[in-house]
Amino acid sequence: MTRTSSSARPGDLDLDEFRRVGYQVIDAIAAYHAGLADRRAIPDATPTDVAARFAEPLALDGESAAALLADWQARVEPLSTAVGSPRHFALVNGSGAMIGILAEALAACINTNGVSWKVAPAATEVERQCIRWLAQFIGYPDDCGGVLVSGGTMSNLTAILTALRHVAPYDSTPGGLQDAARSGRFLLYMSDQEGHVSVTRVADMLNLGRTAVRLVPSRPDFTMDAAALDRMLAADRASGDLPFCVVAQLGSVNVGAIDPLDALADICARHGVWLHGDGACGLLAAGLPEFRDRFRGLERADSLSLDAHKWLGVPYDCGVVLVRERERLRRAFSITAPYLRSETEVADRGIDFLEYGPQMSRSFRALKVWMVLRHFGVSGLRRMLAKNIALAHHLHDRVRTHPDFEVLHDPLLYLYCFRYVPRELRGREGDAEIARAVDQINREIAEAVQRSGVAFVTTTRIGGKVALRMSICSQRTLQDDIDMTFDALAHEGRAIAARQLAN
Ligand SMILES: Cc1ncc(COP(=O)(O)O)c(C=O)c1O
């Protein structure tokens, strides 16, 4: 069937208009990226301003593509935080590799729904290949199962539900938590300092209750104390509860801590508990030869999360979950309905991703992962990761040699926290009022730097103290960006401290 036509079908753009505006879209994207380093990191606008700019009725008559592009340039782009800025250090926001922009357009072109093999033959195999490549890169068995989801929270949900289904002492699929066979509470474990809030959210979504997340004491380097975990698992089991999953941090969100996988795997095996590694931020570091030792035991984890929209720089959104035994993932999620599978049985059957995760309809996320991975290649990716880690070390050097900053931890990955302590208040933080004042100075520094537009730096808490936090996971960040940001923090710090000290 070869029939070509330039006349538009209902709902479609005329192809000449599509080409004309499409080229303008490419120009707009290129111009945006050309100016990215000079943009404000956050727009200078209040929530009320932004809401007012968008509050309007939907037009009765349709608008042209050119008008929509013009409005994107007038309102959407200027009122968007520059997540791709080389000085965007908030949360764990990846830079959005440009090849991924093209991948997004191409995925939309074929409007793939990755629900099942029949609906998405190429997309299914591209996704499976991405899972194999990522597993190979980090040193995980590449015959594992896996699925792409929206992000780290959904990866953790997918893995933790798989854990629950696998470890529960009865078939929890039909009756779930309401099954009469249930005795005791299902419990999961993460470290108390650096365990991630998404795990608590997962406990919530699974209706286990937030208190089902047991917090295991950490060691001074913020990693989980394996001996303490061992004792907690034994005590909880002895009191009739059902420990089912330990979540190890593989590059924690504030300080990049990597929990001791080998020791945790031994303990989990002894207690019959699933070991999940939350590597949303840091798992890619396992692909760096110099980090192999830190990740020793990785292949023993039952499942892993890795966010492609974080350090890999794939445009939002994309999380990856890997499960060592593929069939366990399928057993946790397999569901069917007559309309989903109408064909007669065939020998050569592709896999249907709807059976391997929480979503049914799914966008072609794998295309951008596939293209980003291929665009960088193994050595390009390693170079990029190592560069971010080196920048965190450079920042650490600036912090430790400045008289007004305090080091809070050694840098390990690209996540680094530190604290402004004006030299006049050094050593006086034992006084609770002074400690509170220093906390306040740090909050105000982050807000002042945000307001200046130079960089997006936020605060967090480390060991109970308010700390400045920088997540250096953009491919675009250079040493100059770190220096410019650090100088701005020091400058604001001095001005704010001077005001506070004068009072
Ligand atoms: C360690 C860790 N796990 C999970 C998540 C949640 O990821 P997402 O925001 O993609 O849902 C994050 C987010 O920063 C994280 O740092």
Side-chain angles (χ1 to χ4, degrees), residues 91-92 150-154 156 194 196 198 249 251-253 278-281 307 309-310 316 469:
L91 310 180
V92 194
S150 61
T153 307
M154 291 307 289
N156 285 342
E194 285 285 288
H196 194 264
S198 62
Q249 285 304 311
S252 66
V253 73
D278 181 353
C281 304
D307 264 3
H309 59 212
K310 291 189 165 73
Y316 280 91
R469 174 181 178 280

Side-chain angles (χ1 to χ4, degrees), residues 20-40:
R20 196 175 57 252
V21 181
Y23 295 139
Q24 289 168 4
V25 167
I26 292 290
D27 286 341
I29 294 171
Y32 177 83
H33 280 77
L36 204 42
D38 300 321
R39 287 181 89 83
R40 290 181 58 88

Side-chain angles (χ1 to χ4, degrees), residues 11 24 42 64 125 151 155 159 171 182 219 229 242 258 272 283 297 315-316 328 349 407 445-446 457 463 466 471 486:
Q24 289 168 4
I42 321 182
S64 69
E125 295 314 319
S155 306
D171 176 4
R182 177 182 168 187
R219 300 184 294 192
L229 170 72
L242 301 164
I258 299 169
L283 184 49
Y316 280 91
R328 292 180 184 169
R349 246 189 102 77
V407 169
I445 293 173
V457 176
V466 174
S471 158
F486 183 78

Side-chain angles (χ1 to χ4, degrees), residues 188-195 213-219 222-233 236 245-247 259 264 267:
L188 62 164
Y189 300 76
M190 68 179 182
S191 61
D192 59 352
Q193 305 265 331
E194 285 285 288
V213 181
R214 302 270 282 129
L215 299 178
V216 183
S218 304
R219 300 184 294 192
F222 301 95
T223 60
M224 187 186 287
D225 179 340
L229 170 72
D230 199 14
R231 289 192 295 274
M232 284 172 80
L233 288 168
D236 288 344
C245 182
V246 171
V247 180
D259 284 336
L264 299 185
I267 292 167

